[in-house]
Amino acid sequence: MGTAVGSWRPAMLAWVLVLVLLAGAGALENGLARTPTMGWLHWERFMCTTDCAREPLSCVSEQLFMQMADLMVSDGWKDVGYEYVCIDDCWMSLTRDDQDRLQPDPERFPSGIRKLADYVHSKGLKLGIYGDVGNKTCAGFPGSYGYYDLDAQTFANWGVDLLKFDGCNYGTQDQLAEGYRNMSLALNKTGRSIVYSCEWPLYMRPMQKPNYTEIKHYCNHWRNFADIYDAWNSVKNTLEWTALHQDSIVDVAGPGGWNDPDMLVIGNFGLSWDQQVTQMALWAIMAAPLLMSNDLRHISPQAKWLLQNKDVIAINQDPLGKQGYCITKDNNFELWERPLSRGSYAVAVMNRQEIGGPRIFSFSTSFLGNGLACNPACSIQQILPTSEDWGLHDWVSFLNTEVNPTGTVLLKVVVIGESPAEKPVMNINKKPSPDIL
Ligand code: GAL
């Protein structure tokens, strides 16, 4: 018995250690956002539309969020993982109530946020809300400065599940940092599970290099870069920024804390089909929160297929929780990869060229995963723009892929071990037929 306990203890300790490491030491340990948050956020599509008489279908009102919650359930969004229905700026009254609490605009949210949260919860979904670290929100509504505890408690009392905390009008750099820290602690004190979405590094960077270890200690995700627009330029700039800063932002991401390149604008007006594919593929590679900002009442079957693609979502939500990175830029192509659980890799080939037609990118499997992704062999599945089996390959296979301008081909590379049972029949130099693209 004594020996059994003796040998059991170190093994148990080792497991605990492994679990702690997997949990990402130093992350905001509120148990939330173990994989990137998925949901819907009103800002990019509906902005600060407040005139409901003029624009009843697109004003920021309880109606809008109830409709989105309904559709998230009826149209399959919830089934594939989209869970948080999130309110952004412009939900508030211009003044606090007589007890200094934030209150919603009475015309647009006549039932109040508590009722809205109940409704969203009754659908099996969660509700997100928006506040600001400074004196006023970006659109000029009351900020939380001086009221962090009260506002956190108000949100908790209403049954809110996520807070997007903006950084407009923050005052000094110290106030910015203090504010983000204090709101995190205030949310924690309420005892309610509330995902904390920050914009701290975005506001801090112009003055000071962000300390991502600290930011991850307080936030579940954080914006680094400018607001996304419904335009290729905006998606492109976001990707460019991310690749340029990957050495300082990739390693910190993991279960509990994620870099947030902002909303998915797929299903709107500004991106071509190939550009929408690029956004979805690269947001999966970047382990980004998948917060759609579109109109679920009017969305094309194609955009819905893309946003609901289970293989892409599985890459985004991979439990290993490692963010991907750009391995090489060559001849206006970019090759990105993301390590996945069980030694697999997601690989994206993006064609950055905005002139001409589809172009072929050639690369060796030995480029991938530091030579390990396909060593000794692997099977490759193309996930976007269409699903296609690329078959079995070995560690020096040469791959050719045709990519449309501003489009992306997303692959999943599953390593195959050396055990005799798994020994593959090789399909070296397989070139996928161009007609699949
Ligand atoms: C911006 C923020 C946007 C949106 C907007 C609301 O600063 O980055 O995502 O929340 O404020 O006014």
Side-chain angles (χ1 to χ4, degrees), residues 41 43-44 48 88-90 130 132 137-140 164 166-168 199 202-203 223 225-228 262-263:
L41 175 63
W43 186 255
E44 196 288 324
C48 197
D88 207 288
D89 205 348
C90 304
Y130 168 99
D132 190 284
T137 72
C138 300
K164 171 174 173 176
D166 211 335
C168 273
E199 297 199 32
L202 170 61
Y203 288 92
R223 286 268 309 281
F225 189 64
D227 290 5
I228 200 125
D262 213 359
M263 294 157 269

Side-chain angles (χ1 to χ4, degrees), residues 20-91:
V20 166
L21 287 174
L22 281 177
L28 170 55
E29 292 304 341
N30 58 5
L32 301 170
R34 309 314 299 172
T35 59
T37 303
M38 292 178 66
W40 184 92
L41 175 63
H42 96 246
W43 186 255
E44 196 288 324
R45 179 64 190 253
F46 295 98
M47 301 184 70
C48 197
T49 312
T50 52
D51 189 344
C52 292
R54 215 176 126 88
E55 295 178 274
L57 293 178
S58 48
C59 68
V60 178
S61 67
E62 60 186 34
Q63 201 71 18
L64 181 70
F65 297 98
M66 287 163 78
Q67 285 181 1
M68 292 306 148
D70 290 347
L71 288 164
M72 273 174 71
V73 176
S74 64
D75 287 1
W77 302 99
K78 176 173 176 264
D79 288 343
V80 295
Y82 294 95
E83 186 179 18
Y84 288 81
V85 181
C86 302
I87 309 173
D88 207 288
D89 205 348
C90 304
W91 63 271

